[in-house]
Amino acid sequence: MKTRSKSMTALLNLVKAAVFAALIAVMTAYIKFNTGINDGYLHFGDSMIYLAACILPLPYAMAAAAIGGFCADMLAGAAVWAPFTAIIKAINALPFALVYTCHATKSPNKILNKTTAFMPLVSGLITIFGYLLAEGLLYSFPTALTSVPFSIIQAVGSAIIYYIAAPALDKVKFKTKLS
C-alpha cells in the first residue's frame, strides 16, 4: 500500500474537518427546538462533534467542532452565543480526541470502544457547565440555572445518537475506510 505524503494527509484531514463542521452546523442550526429561554435552543449536533472527535486528529476535531458550532449559532439567529459556543464545542471534542491522541484505547480503528463509551458523559458535563457559565456571564447565574435541564436533555440526546451511529459506522468499518 502506498503511503501518503504529509501534505496530502493534512489536506485530507482538512477536507474531513470541513465536512464535519458542515454536519455539526446543519445538525445544530436546522434540527433544533427553541427553548424560549434566553434565545437558547435544544439540538443534538453534539453527536456529530463526538463522531468527528473519534475520527479526526485532535486539532482538526476541535476546529471542526468550533467552526460548526459557531456557524450554527450564526445561522440560527443566536449570534450572541457564537463565541461561547466555539469555545465550548472545541472543548467538547477534547475528551474523545485525547483518547486517540494519547493512545488510551486498544481499539483505535473503532469509533465506539470501551474508552470512548464514557466520553459522552465527560463531554456532556462540559456542555452543561460551559453554557451555565456563558449564560451566567450574558444574563445572570439564577437565570442560567433555568437552562440547565435543557443542557442535560441536549447532552443525553446527543449521547444516544452517538451510541446509535457509532456502532453502525463501526460495522461498516467507516473509520478505517475514511483514513
Side-chain angles (χ1 to χ4, degrees):
M1 184 172 139
K2 188 176 179 182
T3 59
R4 286 191 196 108
S5 69
K6 281 186 178 185
S7 61
M8 191 61 159
T9 300
L11 178 62
L12 182 60
N13 285 330
L14 188 63
V15 170
K16 289 188 283 189
V19 169
F20 271 111
L23 282 170
I24 293 162
V26 168
M27 283 285 293
T28 303
Y30 296 114
I31 305 172
K32 66 179 177 148
F33 310 93
N34 291 326
T35 63
I37 300 172
N38 301 327
D39 298 324
Y41 58 94
L42 175 68
H43 65 84
F44 303 116
D46 290 358
S47 62
M48 295 299 109
I49 292 172
Y50 303 166
L51 292 172
C54 290
I55 293 168
L56 294 167
L58 183 61
Y60 294 94
M62 291 179 75
I67 293 167
F70 183 92
C71 289
D73 280 348
M74 297 302 285
L75 291 167
V80 68
W81 289 99
F84 295 102
T85 293
I87 294 165
I88 294 165
K89 297 311 171 190
I91 297 170
N92 276 138
L94 197 56
F96 290 91
L98 282 175
V99 165
Y100 295 101
T101 302
C102 298
H103 305 288
T105 179
K106 295 186 188 301
S107 306
N109 290 323
K110 294 192 74 140
I111 296 168
L112 182 63
N113 56 56
K114 289 179 182 176
T115 311
T116 59
F118 297 103
M119 295 305 111
L121 174 63
V122 176
S123 191
L125 290 171
I126 291 167
T127 294
I128 293 163
F129 289 107
Y131 282 107
L132 179 66
L133 177 63
E135 194 164 354
L137 294 171
L138 283 173
Y139 301 100
S140 73
F141 285 98
T143 301
L145 289 173
T146 63
S147 295
V148 169
F150 294 107
S151 292
I152 293 169
I153 292 167
Q154 180 174 305
V156 170
S158 291
I160 290 169
I161 293 169
Y162 169 77
Y163 290 133
I164 292 169
L169 292 171
D170 281 341
K171 189 171 184 169
V172 297
K173 299 182 183 338
F174 184 78
K175 187 171 180 176
T176 306
K177 290 177 183 176
L178 199 60
S179 40

